[in-house]
Amino acid sequence: MKTMIARIAAVALTAAVAFTGAAQASKLEEIRDRGTVRIGVSLGGEPIGFRDDKNNPVGYDVDVATQLAAKLGVPVEFTDVSGDARISMLVSGQLDIVVANTSATLERAKTVNFSIPYNRAGLRVIVQKDAGIASLKDLAGKKVVVGRGTTGESFLKKAVPDAELVYTDNFSPDGVLLLQQKRADAAIEDSSLLDYLATKNDNLVTLPGLFSNDPIGIAVAKGDPEFVRWLDMFVSDYIQSGAYEANYKKWWGEKANPPTLNPLW
């Protein structure tokens, strides 16, 4: 009987150790063991993310992701993602991290985890100068470009249900082209994208005011709170070291005023 009890105890101990080891396996260890980090970035609009004349990913988010990979000590593999794909590819395990201008909303937080904000943006509307649009209510009956699965789509459906939504999966070049060719009267997107676009096109003007104030976070799959804690520390260092201000002014100009961000560490 004692021998049997000892064997059962040994089996239980072995199982407990195995379970503990599995539970302690972390995304950090997985990334380091693999030797690369798979990061989703959205290359749908300047200056957040786009491709240069050599087809290389560049932009504000790309710089953040590159710095993150450097802190992890591994090369980065970029995947262009947008809309709903940002979340689904995380959940399915195809990506380790998403740095893709993703608003950290309560609804999305049911599915993935977010770091503290590494940027902030608000919804803004950009319109054709000659479209006769002076306020949000004037969008009724107008063709408005929206990103599929974005906070802009959700907002506009509630705020102006009579607007004619023109969907795009990539605001740049698709949405920008629709505006440039006057196949759309307006667009709703993050202010960070539209403020930049308005400076590049004399026929477009942004409406005054923001329609949200969204924290932009780094997204990861649920199940590894220690990895989220590490990302919070990374973002805190990004802010406090001066890298945030330098990166923001690199892409929006030296006269730009970066939104205030609060480090956690």
Side-chain angles (χ1 to χ4, degrees):
M1 179 64 71
K2 290 182 178 179
T3 301
M4 183 177 293
I5 293 174
R7 287 177 179 173
I8 293 173
V11 171
L13 179 60
T14 300
V17 170
F19 176 80
T20 301
Q24 289 178 345
S26 69
K27 178 59 73 171
L28 279 170
E29 292 171 345
E30 179 188 327
I31 290 169
R32 287 169 177 165
D33 289 344
R34 188 193 312 128
T36 58
V37 58
R38 304 166 303 174
I39 300 182
V41 292
S42 179
L43 304 179
E46 301 179 44
I48 294 294
F50 58 106
R51 293 187 181 275
D52 64 14
D53 54 5
K54 296 182 180 178
N55 207 38
N56 296 315
V58 293
Y60 176 85
D61 276 359
V62 175
D63 282 355
V64 174
T66 300
Q67 292 177 41
L68 195 160
K71 294 293 185 181
L72 287 168
V74 295
V76 59
E77 295 178 6
F78 286 121
T79 298
D80 183 8
V81 295
S82 59
D84 295 335
R86 295 175 293 186
I87 305 302
S88 62
M89 291 184 74
L90 266 182
V91 173
S92 65
Q94 298 176 69
L95 296 172
D96 301 311
I97 301 168
V98 162
V99 185
N101 198 37
T102 309
S103 299
T105 66
L106 286 173
E107 187 61 32
R108 285 175 177 156
K110 295 176 183 177
T111 308
V112 297
N113 284 335
F114 286 97
S115 72
I116 62 173
Y118 71 94
N119 197 8
R120 277 189 172 273
L123 289 175
R124 196 187 292 282
V125 172
I126 193 169
V127 302
Q128 305 285 354
K129 280 185 177 179
D130 58 1
I133 301 172
S135 65
L136 196 64
K137 65 180 182 180
D138 295 331
L139 295 178
K142 301 291 188 180
K143 294 181 178 180
V144 186
V145 176
V146 296
R148 194 183 308 276
T150 63
T151 51
E153 177 190 5
S154 301
F155 169 79
L156 206 60
K157 281 183 174 180
K158 294 177 181 178
V160 194
D162 294 331
E164 182 180 342
L165 305 188
V166 181
Y167 287 99
T168 178
D169 290 322
N170 290 293
F171 184 71
S172 179
D174 300 338
V176 173
L177 188 61
L178 287 169
L179 289 168
Q180 290 175 336
Q181 294 178 345
K182 292 201 170 185
R183 292 162 58 196
D185 303 297
I188 187 166
E189 253 293 355
D190 285 349
S191 57
S192 53
L193 297 175
L194 297 189
D195 289 347
Y196 184 83
L197 177 61
T199 66
K200 302 294 182 181
N201 194 311
D202 292 336
N203 295 320
L204 299 173
V205 62
T206 56
L207 295 185
L210 297 178
F211 300 104
S212 67
N213 185 0
D214 301 326
I216 308 299
I218 298 172
V220 293
K222 286 187 175 295
D224 193 346
E226 290 301 318
F227 191 41
V228 180
R229 184 184 183 198
W230 186 90
L231 289 171
D232 285 343
M233 295 181 72
F234 163 77
V235 176
S236 294
D237 179 71
Y238 173 67
I239 297 168
Q240 292 177 313
S241 67
Y244 164 58
E245 183 175 356
N247 192 21
Y248 197 94
K249 290 187 174 181
K250 171 184 175 181
W251 292 106
W252 279 277
E254 283 298 320
K255 295 183 179 180
N257 294 312
T260 299
L261 299 181
N262 299 314
L264 185 63
W265 291 84

